[in-house]
Structures are given as structure tokens and as C-alpha cells.
Amino acid sequence: MALRSAIPTPSHLELRKERYPSGSRKPNPSIHPSHTALTIELFDIRADERILRGSCCGRALVGRFTLDANSELKVTLNPAPQGSVAEINLEATNTSGSLILHWGALRPDRGEWLLPSRKPDGTTVYKNRALRTPFIKSGDNSTLKIEIDDPAVQAIEFLIFDEARNNWSVLFGLPILPCFLECRRYQITTLYFGQEEYEAARTELIEELNKGVSLEKLRAKLTKTPEATDSNAPASESTVTTKVPEELVQVQAYIRWEKAGKPNYAPEKQLVEFEEARKELQSELDKGTSVEQLRNKILKGNIETKVSKQLKDKKYFSVERIQRKKRDIVQLLKKHKPTVMEAQAETPKQPTVLDLFTKSLQEQDNCEVLSRKLFKFGDKEILEKPKFTWQQTIWSHLYFTGRCQKRMESGRQCGPVLMGCFVTVKAPPSSILPSGSSLLDKACETSFSEYELNGLHCQDTGDAGKGTAKALLERIADLEEDAQRSLMHRFNIAADLVDQARDNGLLGIIGIFVWIRFMATRQLIWNKNYNVKPREISKAQDRFTDDLENMYRTYPQYQEILRMIMSAVGRGGEGDVGQRIRDEILVIQRNNDCKGGMMEEWHQKLHNNTSPDDVVICQALLDYIKSDFDIGVYWDTLKKDGITKERLLSYDRPIHSEPNFRSEQKDGLLRDLGNYMRSLKMEGTLIQSLRMAVHSGADLESAIATCMGYKSEGEGFMVGVQINPVKGLPSGFPKLLEFVLDHVEDKSAEPLLEGLLEARAELHPLLLGSPERMKDLIFLDIALDSTFRTAVERSYEELNNVEPEKIMYFISLVLENLALSTDDNEDILYCLKGWNQALEMAKQKNNQWALYAKAFLDRTRLALASKGEQYYNLMQPSAEYLGSLLNIDQWAVNIFTEEIIRGGSAATLSALLNRIDPVLRNVAQLGSWQVISPVEVSGYIVVVDELLAVQNKSYDKPTILVAKSVKGEEEIPDGVVGVITPDMPDVLSHVSVRARNCKVLFATCFDPNTLSELQGHDGKVFSFKPTSADITYREIPESELQSGSLNAEAGQAVPSVSLVKKKFLGKYAISAEEFSEEMVGAKSRNVAYLKGKVPSWVGVPTSVAIPFGTFEKVLSDEINKEVAQTIQMLKGKLAQDDFSALGEIRKTVLNLTAPTQLIKELKEKMLGSGMPWPGDEGDQRWEQAWMAIKKVWASKWNERAYFSTRKVKLDHDYLSMAVLVQEIVNADYAFVIHTTNPSSGDSSEIYAEVVKGLGETLVGAYPGRAMSFVCKKNDLDSPKVLGFPSKPIGLFIKRSIIFRSDSNGEDLEGYAGAGLYDSVPMDEEDEVILDYTTDPLITDQGFQKSILSSIARAGHAIEELYGSPQDVEGAVKEGKLFVVQTRPQMGKAREDYYQVLGVTVNSTPQEIKEAYRKLQKRHHILILLATRVMHDYTLLLNEAYKVLMRN
């Protein structure tokens, strides 16, 4: 009997009619001597497919098998002659009457059991996989006869099952355990057994292992024999076989697992690994290796400790995990927002003409003139300020001015002048040319633009460098030639510039970063034939990083950018440390007898100047040696980091040769070069390369060693170097870092990620303080961050087929890592809290978990987009300007910010969000579209970046815009019939309402593949057909579009509307009782109408108003004469389509002075209505109120409103602006209700959106989505949440007054003018980053239902009051509802009612009544039929008549 696996598997009985071929096993002599041709062999099924084979040359085969201590099984085979039936008889002695044969037949052409059609009585089919036949009880024995009539069947396989005891019987003393899942060649699969038996057997074996039973003991227990040997082997061979000690098997299995990357093994795979480890060691012993030699070979380092820990914990092949401390996420909060500080101007020393000019220029531009040069040009002078250089090209910012005082006094201007740029190599890059320049062959030509500055007529060639620390960047450009001499020079220059950078604020720090980044990405020269010692580079680097460390301590608002600089620079070191980099290469050559050749050339190169290339060269040598001296591996490593043969030859001391080592040098070189590599990284004397954190503080091992203390290793390396541990580290921190290093290469990244985050979280409080050796801690944190990102990227494959909860957990880990690297991280932390809560909801099977997670996915994307935009706005201008000065390749400049973002955690997080987005949408049944305005359209696809950029454009053919950005406040351009966007404006935002009013398709597409496909069809004609939740689209020929059959209603512009000019009726302020159509707009009148008519539980704020005509009256007052003249002049510019005048008019309106009578009347009305008067708190408070009023008036000229009125040909001069004055409801929540669902047009359903704080975030262009819900009017107690909020910002305010716009253009039939103009609070709102995880509206189901139901009830009550669909705005304060305004709901409202009755907007009440009665009479018979369709139609007729007659 041969046992070949860790635990036995089910035995099979095979009875075959065959003779032994030549060379097969001889018959087993242990069988009964009367059957000399019969051999029975038992093999472990995983070692051999055969289990029990009977082969006979006689009439019958007999086998006897022990079932237990008192019974046996006898098997007899009567072979079948040609065409007859084979008969198999089984008899079990001394058994119960409940035995069952679990069996099947084998054919050579099938791998699975065949179920013969001929079977004994009582046979049942088990799960279509096996047959189960009961034995027949006969006295103390049980018998069974099987007949096989299929000649293709060559064998049967069976198991014995005792049904009464629910146990599988034992054959040859082996338990029958169906517990393996591998292919049939190695074991029986669950094809033949039920999952219950499989799991029970597996559990039994795993429990034994977990109790600490060794595999050898388990084998002996199961077989009830000592370790078996082949019985056919000579006795001498059996006795001399050396047994592998079990503890070595455990160690070898652990080594195999560690080499595989510590994957997560299933229990079955664990057992396989133990057996493979045993085989490997047994093979070594069979070759003559002694057990002691084997022990010495594999027991190295702390391997025994690691294995013993697993044995102690009874967790085999499982990665240990650290226990993360429970800490409040908010402890990681940092609120250092980036602020831009303008540079200060210098005071000129002498008041010359050009000094005065320079001073005026500085004051105008609020900038510093760093240097200037004068050039004679006849009787004039050219002022150059300052100088830009790239290579040998000179480019100047030039001012051309008259020289003599007489010319300044006379006001004579210089004539047209052309300036040629002086070049010796090539023309300047086109990206920096001033407007109007002409690019020539090796120069460019630029006209001076004329202007007057403080009486001095001058001409200018441009103002490049806006949004940067311009003077600093120009200083860097001036010094770059010196910086290229060596890294020592560059680092010293950088240290000299730190003070100037700090004085320039954030833009100065960014300027240094951009310069260092260009160097790190090899866009700048590192060394220009200058011999410098490594210790000098190290000292310069140390000086620079010390300055950065000091700034890090003092200016926390700059820490994020300072980290970026330090990650690109490295740590630095002083004294003899740098010199050892050069000295140690000599030790390597001497110890390993490798002087001369490539090693000597490399030594000479190191002696002359060390560079980041040396780390790559060292790594290439290590890879070459490890590959058994494969020279191709050497070159592959070099090429991965951009080092070619040409680059090696370009060094001042070139490397010509390839490495050529001998096999006996291998171990010594691996040891010494490995230590040398560590030395390079430890000393940090070079810049971090683009692709590797080499020779820098970003290397994890060296960063940890520096903080924990350095211990010398090797022979002679780093002798005398003593680096002490950093003091004050948290308890347990060294073990935590040891855990990180032990698992840094693990295939399963999750435990490593947890360890890295725990280490960073422990460091976080130290980095917020001012500890000793702050620099070393910063570099350690940078290294932990870098390792984290690498580990996440390595785990992408692992996340391919996992449950959503796993991806959500990874997202939470990456968010935490991002928060630890970000200065202003409040929004990111609240996103993290949301994901953690969503994960808990998913684990608890909450049916809204996916909808909730989707909201935080959207919010997280907004946070990433905001961060990316911030980086771009801050960094890209400096990259472009400095890039132009240093002549950096344009492609490198273009992608500068993009590469910064791609290299951080934000890019990793974005990839994970993209993975889970479709999963969440599927679970939440959201689809790939949100259709905001469902209109079937066709048109030409036009791709644009922003809807805002084209809102005032007119398209001359039907156009469907695919806009990457839609904020919510834009206008729909003329000619546009559809807008598709990935952005998520609120359903009730201005642009959404405008789209529905104008019958324009408007939809959000969440699928990036679909969006990319549509963008690829730019210029083609497509047809879109929407439903409430999806859109189908197809390409169509132009002829179909031109036929006019499509777009019958889409994109129809609202017809021209007219206004009646309002007059000032003698009152500057009126109370709510005086509101009338002549005095105020519909907004004010509706609020007054609601007072006393809505249910008592709905509050309406007290209101007064500044009526129509007041603005014009104030403007005409003598005290505002100059303002009036300026506005009249600007209106003239506007009439000439100079739209820049809009902003100028708004600014001018703010200069109005309030007449005394206005102040008096407004005060009387406000106090008389019970409202507080701002002036009682001081003149400053009144000025705040007056400024808010003027801003409301000025909003008449905002771009969106102006272009909207132009679109409908509304006379803008006739538009009048009243101001509704209300005391602000300091809202906990704000809401907007549409009493008819605007997306579906369902009048039986209320749709509403709710935000936390004031409603401006809902009606304004604030990013993110509001909480949305619907509620059936016949079941107002059952609101259904459609989406959770993703808006990151909430607005809150103390007790204050709000001044609301109320124009006569907001309530026109067929034209939605609401929302176009501004409502301005007297006090500025506080922006608060929202934490939805503590918001009861989100987390408390009872509170949520109560508030949403109350909002729906209020909307329904107001609709009943007006008799038509309403657009209602309101607020919730401490559970009480307030309605601040209502208006008729546009879209599917009044204009459709006109269509229902077949009348026009100008129809009289009598005409409406006649049309209604005519339709009733026409459909009288059908109405009497009382069909469902006609019932609905009757209701619609009645509703239309009721609404229109009321109005």
C-alpha cells in the first residue's frame, strides 16, 4: 500500500477485464493464492487515477476488504463472454440493514461517472451524478448484485455508505472522505458527492490540523499504520529511507508560500503545499543530503520564528494582520487652505523718468520688477524688464517710451514701432509669443501696443507669467546656467532662493517645486562637465532640505507642496557620509577581484560626479548577477529608466564596457552590491528619478532605517557611521515598521495597506508638531505613502472578481491615505466616513446601501476634480512660464500637472471608483442615464468643454451638445435641441428647468464608454429617443434630419414676449398688504397671498418690498448723476455687442448712493412689519444692507439673464426689478418642490429636492446633487428616496436679512425668468463642509420620513390652494416648515393647458370657457362610457379649465 498525499481520499474499486501488459506491476502476493492472476493495489487517488484494479485470466475475481473491526466486504466478478452480461456480487458481513452502495460506471471516453440504465431494484439517482443502491439484508450479512450489459463499461467505482449512522465506511482501514476539489486525475470531485458530505469531510480534517496535529500524525491516524513504503521495494530500501522531520516540512512550506508572494490559500491548497514541500525536501534527502545539512540550509534568519507563530496561532499560509487602533477619523483633519499672496514691489532709488515709469508699472500690476535694461533707440529708450533666457536665445519684455521730459508734457505719442527679437539659434516657442506676433524663420516680430501710464505714453509687448511668482521664476531662469554645472550647484542655488520663494507665498513655493520637478524628470541638465565630490553634493542637498524642513514647521499651509519638493529631492547628509559612496566601490572591487573593465569605468564616473543614474546602474548589475549573468537583463534594467548606451558614453567619465563576472564571484557581489545599493539610498545624495524613488528619502527601507537607527552590515561598509533612532516615536512603532518591511512584497496587499496606513496615522500627530529630526519623519511618511500607492496598483488584478464590499474597503483605505497627504482634507475625510458607513450598510444587507454608496462615489469624484482643478490653477501657469524661460520640451510642459495628479493617490482612487460605479448603479437600479428633460431629438453632435462657454452662441442647424461640464446656471444656446453631459446638475437647477421649458433633451450620462463613443461621433447626425431612465440613440442620414419629420417640438424657442415698463409710483418701500401687480412681481405677491392660507404648521416669513421703478428713481437722483452717465455710456457699448460692458455696469451700479427718503421709508416699513432694522446696529450694518440691495439691482445685467432676454427678444430696458425683503430663516434644510414630477410629467406625483443649510446651494451653481424624493399625492406618508445628497458644501448664516430679486420678467407666460437674477443676504454665508454620516435626515429613518412627508404635504396644500402645479421653495428649521416663495411650475403646466383646450396665451376668459364646453360636448358620448382613458381626459379638461380661468 502506497500513501502519497497528506490525507487520504475516497478509494475506488475498479474491476477490469484485462491482462497485464508488459512492464506493468506484478501481482500482489498478499492476495489469496488461488487467484494467482489477481492483483489488488491501493493508491492514493491524488497520486494515481487507479484505486483498486482487478484483472483476471480466469472465470472470477474475488477481493476481501475490511469495513470495520467486525465486518468485511467480499467482491466477486463473473466476467462476461462476448455480448453477455458481467455480474458483480458484493457481500458485507456482520452489518446493519442500512448499507447503501454509492456507485457509477467508467468508460474510457468519459471522465465522469456513467449511470447504467440496467440497475438493481431500489436504485435511486443521486443529484444526476451517481447511483445509490441499497444492500439486501440476509441474516447477519447484506448482499447486492450488479449486472453490466454495456460492453463499453470497463470498470465501476463505488463507496459504501451506512445510512443509519450517516457515515462512509472504511476500506482497507481508510476513511472514505470526499474532500478534494482538484481535477479527477488527482481525486474524486464533488460531481459524485453532495456538497454536504464534502464540507463535512473537509471540516473534519481542517479541525484536526487546527488542533496542532501534524500531517504525519494525521496520516498515521487515518491509515492506522506507520508511514508506509512500497511493499514491492526490497526490505533494505524501505528501512534506510530517511524521514523528513515535520518541522522542516512546515518551514519549507512557509518558504514556498513566501516566494509565491504570500497568496491566500484555500484549505485544500494548503494541504497540497505541505505535500509539495515534503516532496522537495525528500528529494534532497534522497540525493544524499543529510537532515542536518537540510536544516542549516533552510533555517536562516527569523524563519523559524515566523513559522512557529503560525503554528501557535493555528493559521497556516495566512498573512498576519496588524490590529488597527480605533481612532476618530476627524483626528486626521487639516484645514490649511492654499492662499495666494501677491509679491511686494520694490521702491525705486532714484526718481528718473524710467524709475517713475517702473514704479507706475509696479503699482498697476501689483508686481515686482526684478531687473531692467535700457537700449538707445534714437531719442527714445527701450526698457527691458526682465530677461528670459533659453539656451542661447534672448527674449525680452519690452517697454518703448519717449526719452525727453518735453515729450511727456506735450502728450505726443510714439508712432507705430515693430520690435524684432534677437536670436542666435532659433525663434521663441509659439506658446509664449505675445498676441499679434508673427513667427519668422529664426525670429519673431511683435508690434508694441500703445497705452498711457501716469501721463507717460508707452508701448508694451505683453504680460506673460500671470498667476505665477514671476520675478522668482525669472531669477531661476537667470541662474539655471550655473545650476547645470552640478547637483551641488543646483541645491545650493535652491537653498539661496528659499527666502525669496517664501516671501512670494504659495506661488513662490510652487515655483521652486516646478523647477525641481523639471530637474527630477530630466528636463534639465544635472552635470555639465564639473568634477564634484559626493560629500559636497550631499552637503548642499542637506542645506536645501534643512531650509524646507524649517519652512514645513513654520508654514503649515505650505506643507503639501513642501512634501512634493522633498519627495523629489531626497534627504541629504553631511560629513564623510557622502564620500563613502565613492570609497565603497573600491572595497567592492578589492573584495571580489573585479578591478578593471566596467567596474573601473564606473568607479571613475563615481569619482567625478555621482548622479541618480548610479542607482539604476547598481540595480542593473544586481539583476544581471541574479539572472546568472544574462547581459540582456542588465540592459533591460537600464533601458527601463532611460539609460542607453549613448547615455553611458555621454558621461564625463564614460562607461564603455559591459559587466563580465565569474560564477564564483556571484555570492560576494550580490552581498556587497546589495549593501552598496543601500548605502546609496541611505545617504540620499541624489535626486529622485521619475520612475523610481532611487537614491532618495522616498526609499522605504532606508527611510525606516534612518528613523529607527542604522546598524552596519557587511564587511567594511559604512564603518563609523552611527545614525541614532528618532526620539519620541509612539510605542510599538518599530514593530509596526518591521511588519511593513516583512510584507512589502506580499501578493495580497490588504494587510500591507493596513500596516502602512496605521504607521502613517501614528506619524500624523508628530508631523503636526515640531519634533526633533522632523525631516527624517517627513521622508519616512513620504516613503510610506509611495509604498502604499504601489501596493494598491499591484492589487488591481486581485480586485477583478471580488465582492463590492472588498472594493469599497480598498476605496476607504485609499481615501485615508489621500487625506494624510493633503493639507485641506475635510471633504476627503467626510467622504471616507461616508464610504465606511456605506460598507457597514452593505454588510447589514440594508436595501439602500448601493444608493447611499453612489452618492459618496459622486461626492468623492467631485473632491478629486476639485483637487485636480486646484493643482492645475496653481501649478500649470508656473510650469508654462518657467518652461518657456528654460526651453523645456512643450509636451513635458503640457502634461506637467497631469503627471503630478497621475502620480498620486487621487489617480489610484479614481481607478477604484470607476470599477465600482457600474456595480452600484446596477444594484441600485439606476441605469447609465439620468434623463432630466425627456424629449426625442435629432441633430448634429458637437463636442464642447463647457456649456458656459457657448451659452450665448447661436447654432444654425439642430445641434446636440456633448458638454464635459455643466454647472447648472447656464442658458441653452439657440439652435440646440439636446445636451448630454457627464456632470450632475440638479433636476431643479436653472439649466434643467430651461431645458424642459424649451423642449430640449437634457440628460446625464454616467457610462464613460458611452460618453466617449458619442464624443467620437463629433459632427455626425444622431437621433436620441429617451425614456424616464434610459436613452437609445442611432446615427441617421442627413436627409432624414432635413425632412423635418424630427424635432417637431424639440428646441422650439419660446416666442417673443413683451413687457410693460413699470413706473415709480412714489413709494420707496411698501408692506405686504400693499403688494400689487403694478408695484411688485409675482414672487412677492405669491408670498403675501400664502400668508394665513397655508396650514398652520407651515410658516411664511414676514416681508416688505422695494417696488418697481425704485432703481430708476435712485439712478436719476442728482447725487448719482455720474453713475447714471457712466451706465448710459456702458449701455451704448452693450448695444454694440461689447459684452464686457455687462460686468462694468454691475460694478458701476454698486457705486449708487441711497437717497435719504429711501432709507427713511424702508426703515418704517421693516420696523412696522416686525422686522429688525439693520441701521439700529450701526451705520456699517446699513451699508451692508444697501450693498445687498444694489447687488440685486445689478444682477439685471448678469450674463445669463441678459442673454436669456435677448433670446426671447425681450426689451431689456423694460425689465424692472423690485426687491423682496425678508428675514432669513436660518435653515437646517432647504427644499424645492415641483408638484408635478418634472422628469416624467406625472401630475399624480410630487418631486422634491432637499439640501442641508440654505437653499442657495440648491438653486445656485453649487456642485453635487441634492437629496431627491418622490411622493404620490394619494399616499403622502410614503416618500421614496431617489438619491442621497452628494453636495459637499452647505451654507449657513446667523440671523440676517435677505434681499430677493423680483422682476417683472419672472412670471411671463411661456417664459421661465425665475432664477435668472440674484438674491443677496445682508451677511455673508458661512460655507461648511458637510458630514452626512451624522445627519439625521440621512441616518434616522423616522426623522427622514417625517420631514420628507411634511415637505410633500406642504407642496400638495399649496397646489390645492392655487389650483395648478407649483414650484415651491422653502426651509426647515428645528422641524418646522417655512415656505419662502412659490410660483407656477413651468414646463408641463400652463402652456400645455392652453394646448389641451386649443386656445392661445392671449385668449379671453370667454374664449377659454367656450373652448372647454365645446370639447366637453364633442366627447360627451365617450365620457359616458367611463373608460379609464376618457376618465383621465375628463380630469385633464377640468384641470386645464380651472387653472386658466383662475389666472
mmCIF file of all heavy atoms in Angstrom, residues 1042-1069:
data_model
loop_
_atom_site.group_PDB
_atom_site.id
_atom_site.type_symbol
_atom_site.label_atom_id
_atom_site.label_comp_id
_atom_site.label_asym_id
_atom_site.label_seq_id
_atom_site.Cartn_x
_atom_site.Cartn_y
_atom_site.Cartn_z
ATOM 1 N N GLN A 1042 -33.223 66.553 -42.454
ATOM 2 C CA GLN A 1042 -33.709 67.670 -43.251
ATOM 3 C C GLN A 1042 -35.163 67.516 -43.678
ATOM 4 O O GLN A 1042 -35.794 68.462 -44.107
ATOM 5 C CB GLN A 1042 -32.829 67.822 -44.500
ATOM 6 C CG GLN A 1042 -31.396 68.232 -44.170
ATOM 7 C CD GLN A 1042 -30.466 68.104 -45.352
ATOM 8 O OE1 GLN A 1042 -30.861 67.632 -46.425
ATOM 9 N NE2 GLN A 1042 -29.213 68.511 -45.159
ATOM 10 N N SER A 1043 -35.705 66.289 -43.531
ATOM 11 C CA SER A 1043 -37.085 66.067 -43.957
ATOM 12 C C SER A 1043 -38.080 66.810 -43.083
ATOM 13 O O SER A 1043 -39.213 67.017 -43.464
ATOM 14 C CB SER A 1043 -37.400 64.563 -43.920
ATOM 15 O OG SER A 1043 -37.380 64.096 -42.575
ATOM 16 N N GLY A 1044 -37.604 67.177 -41.886
ATOM 17 C CA GLY A 1044 -38.483 67.923 -40.994
ATOM 18 C C GLY A 1044 -39.401 67.056 -40.177
ATOM 19 O O GLY A 1044 -40.219 67.553 -39.414
ATOM 20 N N SER A 1045 -39.276 65.722 -40.342
ATOM 21 C CA SER A 1045 -40.148 64.829 -39.584
ATOM 22 C C SER A 1045 -39.727 64.730 -38.128
ATOM 23 O O SER A 1045 -40.498 64.296 -37.282
ATOM 24 C CB SER A 1045 -40.122 63.424 -40.214
ATOM 25 O OG SER A 1045 -38.795 62.913 -40.202
ATOM 26 N N LEU A 1046 -38.489 65.089 -37.851
ATOM 27 C CA LEU A 1046 -37.985 65.004 -36.492
ATOM 28 C C LEU A 1046 -37.945 66.385 -35.850
ATOM 29 O O LEU A 1046 -38.075 67.406 -36.515
ATOM 30 C CB LEU A 1046 -36.591 64.383 -36.491
ATOM 31 C CG LEU A 1046 -36.530 62.960 -37.075
ATOM 32 C CD1 LEU A 1046 -35.093 62.561 -37.287
ATOM 33 C CD2 LEU A 1046 -37.233 61.981 -36.165
ATOM 34 N N ASN A 1047 -37.750 66.391 -34.557
ATOM 35 C CA ASN A 1047 -37.648 67.645 -33.795
ATOM 36 C C ASN A 1047 -38.883 68.512 -33.952
ATOM 37 O O ASN A 1047 -38.802 69.731 -34.057
ATOM 38 C CB ASN A 1047 -36.411 68.453 -34.203
ATOM 39 C CG ASN A 1047 -35.127 67.679 -33.966
ATOM 40 O OD1 ASN A 1047 -35.071 66.870 -33.059
ATOM 41 N ND2 ASN A 1047 -34.127 67.936 -34.783
ATOM 42 N N ALA A 1048 -40.041 67.860 -34.015
ATOM 43 C CA ALA A 1048 -41.269 68.625 -34.195
ATOM 44 C C ALA A 1048 -41.482 69.611 -33.066
ATOM 45 O O ALA A 1048 -41.951 70.721 -33.260
ATOM 46 C CB ALA A 1048 -42.462 67.672 -34.288
ATOM 47 N N GLU A 1049 -41.093 69.207 -31.863
ATOM 48 C CA GLU A 1049 -41.261 70.126 -30.738
ATOM 49 C C GLU A 1049 -39.949 70.471 -30.068
ATOM 50 O O GLU A 1049 -39.864 71.386 -29.270
ATOM 51 C CB GLU A 1049 -42.217 69.517 -29.706
ATOM 52 C CG GLU A 1049 -41.717 68.222 -29.091
ATOM 53 C CD GLU A 1049 -42.594 67.757 -27.939
ATOM 54 O OE1 GLU A 1049 -43.469 68.532 -27.529
ATOM 55 O OE2 GLU A 1049 -42.384 66.643 -27.440
ATOM 56 N N ALA A 1050 -38.909 69.686 -30.393
ATOM 57 C CA ALA A 1050 -37.644 69.882 -29.693
ATOM 58 C C ALA A 1050 -37.013 71.213 -30.042
ATOM 59 O O ALA A 1050 -36.995 71.642 -31.174
ATOM 60 C CB ALA A 1050 -36.689 68.748 -30.037
ATOM 61 N N GLY A 1051 -36.462 71.838 -29.037
ATOM 62 C CA GLY A 1051 -35.675 73.046 -29.230
ATOM 63 C C GLY A 1051 -36.468 74.247 -29.668
ATOM 64 O O GLY A 1051 -35.915 75.256 -30.064
ATOM 65 N N GLN A 1052 -37.807 74.141 -29.610
ATOM 66 C CA GLN A 1052 -38.605 75.293 -30.017
ATOM 67 C C GLN A 1052 -38.367 76.442 -29.040
ATOM 68 O O GLN A 1052 -38.617 76.322 -27.851
ATOM 69 C CB GLN A 1052 -40.089 74.932 -30.017
ATOM 70 C CG GLN A 1052 -40.470 73.947 -31.127
ATOM 71 C CD GLN A 1052 -41.941 73.633 -31.099
ATOM 72 O OE1 GLN A 1052 -42.640 73.973 -30.153
ATOM 73 N NE2 GLN A 1052 -42.422 72.991 -32.140
ATOM 74 N N ALA A 1053 -37.862 77.528 -29.546
ATOM 75 C CA ALA A 1053 -37.609 78.678 -28.680
ATOM 76 C C ALA A 1053 -38.930 79.273 -28.239
ATOM 77 O O ALA A 1053 -39.930 79.226 -28.942
ATOM 78 C CB ALA A 1053 -36.785 79.722 -29.424
ATOM 79 N N VAL A 1054 -38.928 79.794 -27.050
ATOM 80 C CA VAL A 1054 -40.124 80.460 -26.554
ATOM 81 C C VAL A 1054 -40.399 81.669 -27.446
ATOM 82 O O VAL A 1054 -39.477 82.413 -27.780
ATOM 83 C CB VAL A 1054 -39.904 80.905 -25.089
ATOM 84 C CG1 VAL A 1054 -41.131 81.617 -24.563
ATOM 85 C CG2 VAL A 1054 -39.553 79.695 -24.238
ATOM 86 N N PRO A 1055 -41.636 81.862 -27.881
ATOM 87 C CA PRO A 1055 -41.921 83.003 -28.757
ATOM 88 C C PRO A 1055 -41.613 84.323 -28.065
ATOM 89 O O PRO A 1055 -41.497 84.396 -26.842
ATOM 90 C CB PRO A 1055 -43.426 82.863 -29.025
ATOM 91 C CG PRO A 1055 -43.944 82.025 -27.902
ATOM 92 C CD PRO A 1055 -42.844 81.093 -27.544
ATOM 93 N N SER A 1056 -41.469 85.347 -28.865
ATOM 94 C CA SER A 1056 -41.148 86.665 -28.321
ATOM 95 C C SER A 1056 -42.198 87.083 -27.306
ATOM 96 O O SER A 1056 -43.399 86.877 -27.493
ATOM 97 C CB SER A 1056 -41.093 87.694 -29.454
ATOM 98 O OG SER A 1056 -40.071 87.352 -30.360
ATOM 99 N N VAL A 1057 -41.711 87.639 -26.214
ATOM 100 C CA VAL A 1057 -42.626 88.130 -25.188
ATOM 101 C C VAL A 1057 -42.359 89.621 -25.004
ATOM 102 O O VAL A 1057 -41.296 90.125 -25.342
ATOM 103 C CB VAL A 1057 -42.423 87.375 -23.855
ATOM 104 C CG1 VAL A 1057 -42.828 85.932 -23.989
ATOM 105 C CG2 VAL A 1057 -40.980 87.468 -23.384
ATOM 106 N N SER A 1058 -43.342 90.283 -24.477
ATOM 107 C CA SER A 1058 -43.195 91.728 -24.289
ATOM 108 C C SER A 1058 -43.440 92.088 -22.840
ATOM 109 O O SER A 1058 -44.108 91.366 -22.105
ATOM 110 C CB SER A 1058 -44.200 92.480 -25.189
ATOM 111 O OG SER A 1058 -45.525 92.093 -24.869
ATOM 112 N N LEU A 1059 -42.871 93.192 -22.433
ATOM 113 C CA LEU A 1059 -43.014 93.685 -21.079
ATOM 114 C C LEU A 1059 -43.644 95.068 -21.104
ATOM 115 O O LEU A 1059 -43.449 95.836 -22.053
ATOM 116 C CB LEU A 1059 -41.654 93.773 -20.395
ATOM 117 C CG LEU A 1059 -40.929 92.462 -20.065
ATOM 118 C CD1 LEU A 1059 -39.535 92.761 -19.533
ATOM 119 C CD2 LEU A 1059 -41.709 91.658 -19.046
ATOM 120 N N VAL A 1060 -44.365 95.336 -20.053
ATOM 121 C CA VAL A 1060 -44.884 96.688 -19.856
ATOM 122 C C VAL A 1060 -43.940 97.383 -18.895
ATOM 123 O O VAL A 1060 -43.672 96.878 -17.809
ATOM 124 C CB VAL A 1060 -46.312 96.666 -19.287
ATOM 125 C CG1 VAL A 1060 -46.793 98.092 -18.980
ATOM 126 C CG2 VAL A 1060 -47.250 95.961 -20.245
ATOM 127 N N LYS A 1061 -43.408 98.495 -19.304
ATOM 128 C CA LYS A 1061 -42.436 99.187 -18.472
ATOM 129 C C LYS A 1061 -43.102 99.687 -17.202
ATOM 130 O O LYS A 1061 -44.147 100.332 -17.233
ATOM 131 C CB LYS A 1061 -41.830 100.366 -19.236
ATOM 132 C CG LYS A 1061 -40.624 100.976 -18.515
ATOM 133 C CD LYS A 1061 -39.886 101.943 -19.421
ATOM 134 C CE LYS A 1061 -38.624 102.441 -18.746
ATOM 135 N NZ LYS A 1061 -37.856 103.357 -19.613
ATOM 136 N N LYS A 1062 -42.495 99.369 -16.091
ATOM 137 C CA LYS A 1062 -43.037 99.754 -14.794
ATOM 138 C C LYS A 1062 -42.542 101.148 -14.404
ATOM 139 O O LYS A 1062 -41.431 101.532 -14.733
ATOM 140 C CB LYS A 1062 -42.615 98.740 -13.724
ATOM 141 C CG LYS A 1062 -43.084 97.317 -14.004
ATOM 142 C CD LYS A 1062 -44.603 97.169 -13.980
ATOM 143 C CE LYS A 1062 -45.038 95.742 -14.168
ATOM 144 N NZ LYS A 1062 -46.513 95.598 -14.136
ATOM 145 N N LYS A 1063 -43.398 101.845 -13.707
ATOM 146 C CA LYS A 1063 -43.058 103.201 -13.284
ATOM 147 C C LYS A 1063 -42.929 103.275 -11.768
ATOM 148 O O LYS A 1063 -43.486 102.463 -11.038
ATOM 149 C CB LYS A 1063 -44.141 104.189 -13.743
ATOM 150 C CG LYS A 1063 -44.298 104.266 -15.255
ATOM 151 C CD LYS A 1063 -45.396 105.246 -15.631
ATOM 152 C CE LYS A 1063 -45.570 105.339 -17.136
ATOM 153 N NZ LYS A 1063 -46.648 106.290 -17.504
ATOM 154 N N PHE A 1064 -42.180 104.252 -11.346
ATOM 155 C CA PHE A 1064 -42.070 104.518 -9.910
ATOM 156 C C PHE A 1064 -43.344 105.218 -9.453
ATOM 157 O O PHE A 1064 -43.717 106.267 -9.988
ATOM 158 C CB PHE A 1064 -40.857 105.399 -9.631
ATOM 159 C CG PHE A 1064 -40.668 105.730 -8.175
ATOM 160 C CD1 PHE A 1064 -40.297 104.730 -7.279
ATOM 161 C CD2 PHE A 1064 -40.857 107.024 -7.709
ATOM 162 C CE1 PHE A 1064 -40.110 105.033 -5.935
ATOM 163 C CE2 PHE A 1064 -40.670 107.328 -6.366
ATOM 164 C CZ PHE A 1064 -40.296 106.328 -5.475
ATOM 165 N N LEU A 1065 -44.036 104.600 -8.475
ATOM 166 C CA LEU A 1065 -45.332 105.098 -8.049
ATOM 167 C C LEU A 1065 -45.270 105.898 -6.758
ATOM 168 O O LEU A 1065 -46.262 106.035 -6.033
ATOM 169 C CB LEU A 1065 -46.312 103.928 -7.911
ATOM 170 C CG LEU A 1065 -46.584 103.152 -9.210
ATOM 171 C CD1 LEU A 1065 -47.571 102.019 -8.964
ATOM 172 C CD2 LEU A 1065 -47.090 104.082 -10.308
ATOM 173 N N GLY A 1066 -44.102 106.411 -6.460
ATOM 174 C CA GLY A 1066 -43.997 107.365 -5.345
ATOM 175 C C GLY A 1066 -43.591 106.765 -4.033
ATOM 176 O O GLY A 1066 -43.422 107.501 -3.045
ATOM 177 N N LYS A 1067 -43.429 105.448 -3.943
ATOM 178 C CA LYS A 1067 -43.049 104.821 -2.687
ATOM 179 C C LYS A 1067 -41.747 104.049 -2.859
ATOM 180 O O LYS A 1067 -41.621 103.218 -3.748
ATOM 181 C CB LYS A 1067 -44.155 103.881 -2.193
ATOM 182 C CG LYS A 1067 -45.443 104.594 -1.806
ATOM 183 C CD LYS A 1067 -46.466 103.608 -1.239
ATOM 184 C CE LYS A 1067 -47.737 104.330 -0.789
ATOM 185 N NZ LYS A 1067 -48.718 103.394 -0.207
ATOM 186 N N TYR A 1068 -40.803 104.326 -1.948
ATOM 187 C CA TYR A 1068 -39.528 103.597 -1.967
ATOM 188 C C TYR A 1068 -39.654 102.223 -1.308
ATOM 189 O O TYR A 1068 -38.841 101.330 -1.566
ATOM 190 C CB TYR A 1068 -38.446 104.402 -1.236
ATOM 191 C CG TYR A 1068 -37.920 105.576 -2.024
ATOM 192 C CD1 TYR A 1068 -38.368 106.874 -1.766
ATOM 193 C CD2 TYR A 1068 -36.955 105.387 -3.016
ATOM 194 C CE1 TYR A 1068 -37.871 107.958 -2.479
ATOM 195 C CE2 TYR A 1068 -36.446 106.465 -3.725
ATOM 196 C CZ TYR A 1068 -36.903 107.752 -3.459
ATOM 197 O OH TYR A 1068 -36.402 108.814 -4.172
ATOM 198 N N ALA A 1069 -40.622 102.043 -0.425
ATOM 199 C CA ALA A 1069 -40.808 100.774 0.270
ATOM 200 C C ALA A 1069 -42.277 100.582 0.576
ATOM 201 O O ALA A 1069 -43.009 101.557 0.822
ATOM 202 C CB ALA A 1069 -39.997 100.735 1.559
#
